[in-house]
Amino acid sequence: MEAKLLHQSLSPFMPTRHHPRCRRTNKPLRSPVLAVLTRPTKKIVEIAEKTTTTTRPEEDAIVTKYEDNWFDLMATNHLSRSVQAAIGIRNKKSGYEGLVEAASAAYRSFNPTEQRDLVISALDRAFPKPILNMIRTLLPRSKFTREYFAAFTTVFFSWLVGKCEVRESELDGRREKNVVHIKKCRFLEETNCVGMCLNLCKMPCQTFIKDSLGVPVNMVPNFDDMSCQMVFGQDPPAISDDPAFKQPCIKLCKAKQKHSATCTN
């Protein structure tokens, strides 16, 4: 009996004064490492970049805001009514929105040749022939006339085409300020359509200016940045040779909504 008690007192599993027994707790073990920052894998980065690109559509591009004054509105409404009268289709919109609506109606209802003829007819309605004939008589073809028309366009037609400035070019071996650089064409930006630009603006305006004012002009649109050059004194190329007519329509075309060259015909 005494031996048994002695054995129990000397057992390593029994608590003693000098070696207290460690109490087990239910607390989870904590790692000293709080967090590890690692570089994402190349695959994840590529997926993120692809997602960023595809979720940002072209519609997010900055759209130019215009604050038309009384003269701008008067001129726009006058031209819009002239176009509506020429095509025989009316709309109730006013300002530039009404002009674009009239041009869109012409584009939907007539073929390219008819569109050009109708715009020329609308320009004849908008600008009285006696005034145009007087200008043609007083300003024959010359460097002064070309530079005058370029400067006149930047001052009095920015409501139609947007912000523009006069630039120089070389004509007949000499430099002259005969170019109107349109930074971002208002009409092209509003329509987003190559066909409407060519058949309702470029072609009829080239013909109208040469026939009514006696000065040739070549309009060179840039469909990448929506800018345009009006070069007074330069004859435009034939349609078959004009690079503009080989351009497929803009992806955001509001007319045919089709990215193809058929938008121009």
Side-chain angles (χ1 to χ4, degrees), residues 3 33 43 59 72 88 95 107 127 149 160 203 223 231 233 243 253 264:
V33 181
K43 184 176 181 180
E59 288 90 341
D72 300 333
Y107 186 74
F127 303 98
F149 286 155
L160 179 60
M203 296 302 295
F223 297 111
V231 187
C253 175
T264 60

Side-chain angles (χ1 to χ4, degrees), residues 29-69:
L29 296 178
R30 295 184 178 180
S31 172
V33 181
L34 299 180
V36 177
L37 297 178
T38 60
R39 184 183 299 275
T41 63
K42 183 178 180 181
K43 184 176 181 180
I44 295 176
V45 173
E46 290 177 351
I47 294 175
E49 291 177 351
K50 184 176 180 181
T51 303
T52 303
T53 302
T54 55
T55 55
R56 185 174 179 82
E58 294 181 47
E59 288 90 341
D60 289 344
I62 299 175
V63 178
T64 307
K65 299 295 183 182
Y66 291 91
E67 296 181 359
D68 295 324
N69 57 35

Side-chain angles (χ1 to χ4, degrees), residues 205-249:
C205 287
Q206 289 176 167
T207 301
F208 176 78
I209 292 173
K210 183 176 182 179
D211 292 347
S212 60
L213 299 176
V215 177
V217 61
N218 182 23
M219 299 179 68
V220 186
N222 184 332
F223 297 111
D224 292 329
D225 61 5
M226 294 190 175
S227 65
C228 185
Q229 300 266 24
M230 297 179 65
V231 187
F232 287 94
Q234 183 181 89
D235 288 305
I239 292 180
S240 57
D241 299 326
D242 197 328
F245 280 85
K246 298 175 175 60
Q247 170 74 30
C249 201

Side-chain angles (χ1 to χ4, degrees), residues 13-211:
F13 301 99
M14 295 296 292
T16 62
R17 181 184 298 271
H18 303 288
H19 301 282
R21 188 171 70 177
C22 296
R23 295 180 178 274
R24 297 183 61 185
T25 62
N26 294 326
K27 293 183 179 180
L29 296 178
R30 295 184 178 180
S31 172
V33 181
L34 299 180
V36 177
L37 297 178
T38 60
R39 184 183 299 275
T41 63
K42 183 178 180 181
K43 184 176 181 180
I44 295 176
V45 173
E46 290 177 351
I47 294 175
E49 291 177 351
K50 184 176 180 181
T51 303
T52 303
T53 302
T54 55
T55 55
R56 185 174 179 82
E58 294 181 47
E59 288 90 341
D60 289 344
I62 299 175
V63 178
T64 307
K65 299 295 183 182
Y66 291 91
E67 296 181 359
D68 295 324
N69 57 35
W70 66 269
F71 175 80
D72 300 333
L73 292 174
M74 180 181 68
T76 305
N77 288 327
H78 176 63
L79 182 58
S80 177
R81 287 192 295 267
S82 298
V83 174
Q84 293 175 46
I87 66 176
I89 303 174
R90 300 285 182 176
N91 69 73
K92 297 182 180 181
K93 298 179 180 180
S94 61
Y96 211 89
E97 186 180 5
L99 177 61
V100 172
E101 179 64 27
S104 299
Y107 186 74
R108 292 190 301 265
S109 305
F110 303 95
N111 63 47
T113 302
E114 293 171 336
Q115 293 169 28
R116 299 165 198 162
D117 292 340
L118 287 170
V119 171
I120 292 174
S121 175
L123 293 174
D124 285 333
R125 292 171 180 266
F127 303 98
K129 271 195 174 296
I131 296 179
L132 297 176
N133 291 335
M134 182 181 66
I135 294 175
R136 181 170 182 168
T137 302
L138 297 176
L139 297 173
R141 290 193 183 188
S142 65
K143 176 184 177 182
F144 172 80
T145 298
R146 292 187 291 270
E147 293 186 338
Y148 176 81
F149 286 155
F152 187 89
T153 301
T154 61
V155 174
F156 292 101
F157 285 92
S158 60
W159 57 269
L160 179 60
V161 298
K163 293 182 179 181
C164 48
E165 62 185 11
V166 175
R167 291 188 177 181
E168 284 189 344
S169 74
E170 185 172 332
L171 186 66
D172 298 330
R174 61 180 181 179
R175 306 291 298 179
E176 55 183 70
K177 297 179 179 180
N178 64 323
V179 178
V180 175
H181 175 73
I182 303 169
K183 298 180 179 180
K184 191 174 185 180
C185 178
R186 185 176 186 179
F187 185 74
L188 180 58
E189 184 179 17
E190 288 288 338
T191 60
N192 278 317
C193 180
V194 170
M196 292 183 68
C197 166
L198 299 179
N199 296 318
L200 296 173
C201 181
K202 171 180 163 65
M203 296 302 295
C205 287
Q206 289 176 167
T207 301
F208 176 78
I209 292 173
K210 183 176 182 179
D211 292 347

